[in-house]
Amino acid sequence: MSRIGRAPVAIPAGVTVEVKDNKMIVKGPKGTLEQEIDARITLAEENGHVTLSRANDSKELKAKHGLYRALLHNMVTGVTHGYSKGLVINGVGYKVAKQGNKIVLNIGYSHPVEFAEIEGIKLECPTQTEITVSGIDRVKVGQVAANIRSLREPEPYHGYGIRYKDEVIERKEGKTAGK
């Protein structure tokens, strides 16, 4: 069996997990998440833990076994605690402001760039140079953060651009003067 797939997922109080029409549905205090699963993967709940099992040992199904267990764990964590990702804007005159349900970025272009919130994702600007992306779906949070970062990726000479809070930009040495 898959080492990841065979590990049970702890279900905290207030969270329910059910399967309907090949969909895992996880409901918790922060919301509801759904994920389609392969019909050959089954879920069994006992003593506050959910275990996943597979119908056979094909290579494809072994991979899916671990995948669905990891997705279920992420869904349970999302509906109980939620996920967030921080972004930092670095550059002369670069700043961000929240206006209604969108953020407006001044990141060195001739025009301000607007980025609207999508359903289930909250964008916050604690300071003029920070953005916090939060929500219950780990995949959506990561994708929205990546989309914002792609508006102005950090460059290696001065470090200008939008980077993740924990990201380290390897700096390059600039041109040197003549000998």
Side-chain angles (χ1 to χ4, degrees):
M1 285 184 84
S2 164
R3 279 188 241 166
I4 294 171
R6 86 178 98 165
V9 178
I11 305 299
V15 176
T16 60
V17 178
E18 58 182 292
V19 177
K20 282 186 184 173
D21 302 326
N22 294 337
K23 280 189 179 182
M24 284 189 296
I25 301 169
V26 179
K27 295 179 184 174
K30 289 193 177 254
T32 303
L33 291 173
E34 291 184 3
Q35 172 67 45
E36 286 199 22
I37 62 170
D38 194 311
R40 300 171 291 177
I41 302 285
T42 57
L43 276 73
E45 189 171 353
E46 56 186 56
N47 300 333
H49 289 76
V50 172
T51 54
L52 283 80
S53 57
R54 60 180 184 258
N56 59 44
D57 285 338
S58 70
K59 188 173 183 178
E60 174 195 9
L61 203 55
K62 281 182 180 181
K64 287 182 178 180
H65 186 206
L67 168 73
Y68 291 133
R69 188 266 175 208
L71 290 174
L72 177 62
H73 180 265
N74 290 342
M75 291 165 67
V76 169
T77 304
V79 297
T80 54
H81 304 298
Y83 288 100
S84 70
K85 211 135 174 75
L87 297 161
V88 176
I89 298 174
N90 183 22
V92 177
Y94 288 15
K95 61 183 177 180
V96 64
K98 177 130 180 168
Q99 293 180 355
N101 66 343
K102 63 185 175 187
I103 57 173
V104 178
L105 300 114
N106 292 314
I107 48 177
Y109 295 122
S110 61
H111 59 282
V113 179
E114 295 181 353
F115 194 92
E117 287 182 348
I118 64 169
E119 185 181 339
I121 300 296
K122 187 175 182 185
L123 299 173
E124 296 175 351
C125 302
T127 66
Q128 285 189 341
T129 59
E130 291 183 13
I131 303 169
T132 303
V133 181
S134 58
I136 62 172
D137 189 350
R138 184 176 185 178
V139 176
K140 272 189 183 178
V141 168
Q143 187 61 54
V144 169
N147 290 346
I148 293 172
R149 182 183 182 273
S150 71
L151 295 173
R152 177 70 93 174
E153 292 187 5
E155 55 93 17
Y157 294 99
H158 297 101
Y160 294 164
I162 303 172
R163 65 175 173 84
Y164 297 114
K165 249 187 184 156
D166 57 352
E167 182 180 12
V168 176
I169 305 300
E170 288 191 28
R171 304 290 287 273
K172 289 184 179 177
E173 187 176 330
K175 292 181 179 178
T176 57
K179 297 179 184 179

